[in-house]
Amino acid sequence: MNILHALRPPDLFTILNISLGFAAILLIHESQSQDAIKLAVLLIIIAAVADGLDGFVARRTGSGPLGANLDSLADLISFGAAPAFLVVGAFSPPMHIWPAAIIFLICGALRLARFNISGKSDQLFEGLPIPAAGMALSVSVLLGKPSLTFPLMLFLALLMISTLPYPKIRDMRILLILGLLVIAAAWAAFLQSNILYAAIILGALVIAYLLSPVVISRLQKGR
């Protein structure tokens, strides 16, 4: 198979996802300054946007033979390895804390492997999607509190391999609102240097999604 001939339009967004995630790793490897950390978080968030776009385009143009596997590999880099490396680079923990980052990465890989072999639902994910986990972990770094970030890393790892139902967000109106909020957070962090405000906006979005299984459970019981 000619790899280049097998590529489809959605795969280009997946390649962008991979590039942004690895760029975040390289950035943190080069510098652990506050500006580098903020930029790395932004790169991971943009990678999540690219991940959403590849799915959006695939549903309209069709996916190629590389699509699903390439997407999982990209997600493992951008939302598994990059956030874990960001945490270790930002806080420089002692070596006995490193297993928390390794567990996060392993659970992300297990989550993706299960997704690839299980039946797909049009409405729900089984377990927390790794892009949501990666963004949640990355945003927590902006608060500068390792005592919060490291327990959160393990909690997110458990949510990824859980069987809790998480909704698939495909409504363009909701996606537009989320996009505007992310832009507002980026504006606060980079143009106004207000990291706390950016973290609050992004954190509120993340918490709302993390709690969504509770809402789904309530709705199902109400039927």
Side-chain angles (χ1 to χ4, degrees), residues 41-90:
V41 172
L42 181 61
L43 290 175
I44 291 170
I45 291 173
I46 298 174
V49 174
D51 182 57
L53 287 173
D54 75 13
F56 177 79
V57 174
R59 287 190 293 274
R60 279 154 178 76
T61 66
S63 60
L66 303 177
N69 291 320
L70 185 63
D71 186 63
S72 291
L73 293 170
D75 287 354
L76 188 59
I77 293 172
S78 296
F79 312 119
F85 192 81
L86 169 63
V87 170
V88 174

Side-chain angles (χ1 to χ4, degrees), residues 4-59:
L4 295 181
H5 289 170
L7 290 173
R8 299 293 184 271
D11 299 330
L12 301 180
F13 289 102
T14 306
I15 291 171
L16 177 61
N17 176 2
I18 297 172
S19 303
L20 291 167
F22 190 60
I25 293 174
L26 294 176
L27 184 63
I28 293 301
H29 178 267
E30 184 67 21
S31 172
Q32 291 80 47
S33 67
Q34 192 64 37
D35 287 341
I37 290 170
K38 289 193 295 183
L39 183 54
V41 172
L42 181 61
L43 290 175
I44 291 170
I45 291 173
I46 298 174
V49 174
D51 182 57
L53 287 173
D54 75 13
F56 177 79
V57 174
R59 287 190 293 274

Side-chain angles (χ1 to χ4, degrees), residues 97-135:
I97 302 295
W98 288 8
I102 296 171
I103 290 171
F104 180 84
L105 181 62
I106 290 172
C107 287
L110 292 173
R111 167 67 177 76
L112 290 166
R114 179 178 64 185
F115 177 79
N116 284 349
I117 65 171
S118 62
K120 305 297 188 295
S121 166
D122 290 334
Q123 303 298 325
L124 299 171
F125 290 110
E126 183 180 10
L128 180 67
I130 191 173
M135 285 192 293

